[in-house]
Amino acid sequence: MYLDSKMNESIRKVEAAREANMKLDPRRMTAEEKENLLKTFHPDYREDQFVSLRIGPNKGEKVPTELAALLEGKSRMDGLTVDLTKPDYEADVLIIGGGGAGCSAAIEANENGASVLVVTKLRVGDANTMMAEGGIQAADKPNDSPAQHFLDAFGGGHFAAQKDLLYKLVTEAPEAIQWLSKLGVEFDKAPDGTMITTHGGGTSRKRMHAAKDYSGAEIMRTLRDEVLNRGIPVVDFTSAIELIKDENGRCAGAVLMNMETKELMVAKAKTVILATGGAGRLHYQGFPTSNHYGATADGLVLAYRAGARLLYPDTLQYHPTGAAFPAQIYGALVTEKVRSVGAMLVNANGEVFMNPLETRDVSAASIIRECTERGNGVATPEGYAVWLDTPMIEAKHGAGTIEKRIPAMMRMFAKHGIDIRKEPILVYPTLHYQNGGLKISANGQTDIENLYAAGEVVGGIHGRNRLMGNSLLDIIVFGRNAGKEASEKAKTVQVGELTLSHLSTYNTLRAEAGIDDDKMSPQLLPDYVRKENRGK
Ligand code: MEZ
């Protein structure tokens, strides 16, 4: 239900062109066209939105301005003390983060006989995993192979992925699907029991496994149940505000903070796994986000301050189709699956302006170009947008398809009076994923001994752009991997005297670089205080 007369006028054009548009098979862009498009329109190329880091392992490299302020920020421990000799918690493996990667790690570490502690600043399962919709990739069909999966992801990521990590991702994908199925994930299946798979942007084979369009929620539900059923201790509403090392420079725990009372506690561990997720709630460049409330780059800050290197921190993913209208769902994810099952992107004049399954960076840049340089966007209260012509889906595949394949989308828009079976929807890129993050080796360890990382906090698995469905996959493959490796390592670790001396080192670097602003980090929660009310 679009009440704006300009929007309605534009919808009439989309409806008039629908039949002809459905017959189109828009060509893919050439490599040169893509490169020019990205350079001119992708937000990663806006030089004025990045600064060079002045301190730390990535000194001299560019990162988003908002992230630099946190990486170079002042520790929340400044002026505070904790008694490191009297830990409040002790475990073999401390896992920071209760999303898909953290829970997968917890299950495997528990399976390997380790005592595990999960701490999470919100509740277990409050994570981007829960919000992933369209599916998880795995090359497990006869016409496909991990090699094919590798080529798609390597090309889609601009040939920048760490080959050993990507190899692990694609070769362990089929087993990851089996593992999830055995734990109880209800993937969509054909009547004969075979998995239904679809295309995503940049895939050469149909390898997206889904649970309708709430794939992440179904996976997270299952992992969370497994963690709780195993009796793995989980401390909710408790953030990690600094890592702790031992006298030998190895990671050995974290300072925790109760999010409500602000009480500080010490968790001592033989190994630590960071699984703190992404950064969408930093709203880089003012973009809305599809991310959950806790996505504030905390893990990057903790590890960077302790000396871990980041890989590709200057590359972010803007999901091409964030909801652009109505305002209540501005930035919410409109899953790529909507395009996989047949909807095309159409401009204000009813014209198809691109192949709907280009890779995400290319699609996002193409939508931005349509709305800016070409002036073919639909005006919305928030800016401009293009149409995603959802009624095409049932025109192609028959009545009932939308409710069966993308019911969450149908429900999200129905709440606002829009029936996506009958009306197209307005979309614009939304901040969705950090392609960069902590550098790890294939065993999941960061640059710091006994500090492991898994999930969105890691960089390098996907290169400089990630394909749909490879993130749900990486949290499982690398979450499990980190759980196995960290628990195995814990068997051999003798923790020395605990210390926070790396904070003094960091403070010295700050002072030497003349950094005197008092922005505290990690940020922990998004900053939604109106500018005029700040400090009140
Ligand atoms: O991998 C993702 O980011 C994903 C599955 C998102 C989506 O469009 O549904």
Side-chain angles (χ1 to χ4, degrees), residues 132-136 208 317 319 333-337 339 360 432 466-472:
E133 294 169 352
I136 170 169
M208 203 72 57
Q317 179 162 90
H319 194 293
L333 181 62
V334 173
T335 174
E336 195 166 318
K337 190 169 176 187
R339 282 172 285 146
R360 283 188 176 164
H432 184 61
R466 175 179 67 77
L467 301 188
M468 170 194 187
N470 273 350
S471 170
L472 279 178

Side-chain angles (χ1 to χ4, degrees), residues 452-509:
Y452 294 76
E456 196 172 339
V457 75
V458 169
I461 300 171
H462 310 283
R464 302 186 76 85
N465 176 59
R466 175 179 67 77
L467 301 188
M468 170 194 187
N470 273 350
S471 170
L472 279 178
L473 177 60
D474 100 39
I475 59 166
I476 304 301
V477 168
F478 288 93
R480 294 180 70 194
N481 182 50
K484 288 178 198 168
E485 295 281 348
S487 57
E488 199 51 35
K489 180 74 187 292
K491 291 178 184 168
T492 64
V493 172
Q494 292 285 338
V495 179
E497 197 181 320
L498 300 190
T499 165
L500 283 167
S501 61
H502 67 279
L503 296 185
S504 329
T505 313
Y506 206 75
N507 281 340
T508 307
L509 290 179

Side-chain angles (χ1 to χ4, degrees), residues 43-307:
D44 278 358
Y45 289 84
R46 290 185 193 153
E47 287 296 334
D48 61 338
Q49 300 293 328
F50 294 82
V51 289
S52 285
L53 284 168
R54 290 169 288 179
I55 51 175
N58 290 71
K59 185 176 168 183
E61 291 177 30
K62 69 167 198 172
V63 299
T65 310
E66 300 85 344
L67 180 61
L70 298 177
L71 293 174
E72 296 179 344
K74 186 162 143 186
S75 170
R76 287 177 173 271
M77 287 296 296
D78 226 58
L80 302 176
T81 49
V82 283
D83 187 350
L84 295 174
T85 63
K86 294 198 182 104
D88 300 272
Y89 297 100
E90 280 194 59
D92 293 333
V93 184
L94 169 67
I95 300 175
I96 303 170
C103 287
S104 299
I107 294 165
E108 291 294 1
N110 171 273
E111 185 68 23
N112 196 21
S115 68
V116 178
L117 178 71
V118 178
V119 296
T120 174
K121 69 181 170 184
L122 298 171
R123 297 162 306 178
V124 63
D126 287 341
N128 279 347
T129 302
M130 189 63 106
M131 306 181 72
E133 294 169 352
I136 170 169
Q137 288 203 42
D140 57 2
K141 290 282 172 78
N143 71 338
D144 202 359
S145 68
Q148 200 65 44
H149 189 174
F150 186 101
L151 290 175
D152 289 348
F154 199 51
H158 302 281
F159 310 99
Q162 299 299 289
K163 290 195 194 110
D164 54 343
L165 302 184
L166 185 55
Y167 176 84
K168 193 168 184 62
L169 183 82
V170 299
T171 52
E172 294 184 16
E175 211 266 310
I177 298 288
Q178 291 308 315
W179 186 70
L180 288 172
S181 292
K182 280 188 200 129
L183 288 180
V185 172
E186 295 279 359
F187 286 111
D188 296 341
K189 298 198 187 68
D192 68 357
T194 52
M195 299 257 190
I196 296 175
T197 48
T198 49
H199 272 300
T203 62
S204 62
R205 302 284 187 278
K206 292 183 176 176
R207 68 171 78 92
M208 203 72 57
H209 300 62
K212 302 195 185 299
D213 55 349
Y214 39 81
S215 311
E218 172 63 3
I219 290 172
M220 193 66 248
R221 172 193 72 76
T222 309
L223 295 173
R224 182 178 56 193
D225 283 357
E226 184 67 18
V227 166
L228 299 178
N229 289 342
R230 283 171 178 256
I232 297 171
V234 176
V235 188
D236 282 336
F237 297 115
T238 300
S239 54
I241 60 164
E242 288 302 345
L243 293 172
I244 299 171
K245 291 186 179 177
D246 73 2
E247 60 197 321
N248 305 308
R250 300 177 302 201
C251 193
V255 178
L256 308 181
M257 184 183 82
N258 180 303
M259 294 292 282
E260 204 177 339
T261 63
K262 310 289 180 245
E263 180 196 358
L264 297 185
M265 291 157 287
V266 171
K268 179 178 176 183
K270 293 177 181 160
T271 56
V272 177
I273 301 174
L274 272 177
T276 48
R281 290 281 163 174
L282 298 184
H283 295 287
Y284 296 136
Q285 305 190 23
F287 271 85
T289 186
S290 57
N291 282 188
H292 87 107
Y293 201 67
T296 50
D298 302 348
L300 301 188
V301 173
L302 299 185
Y304 192 71
R305 202 172 268 159

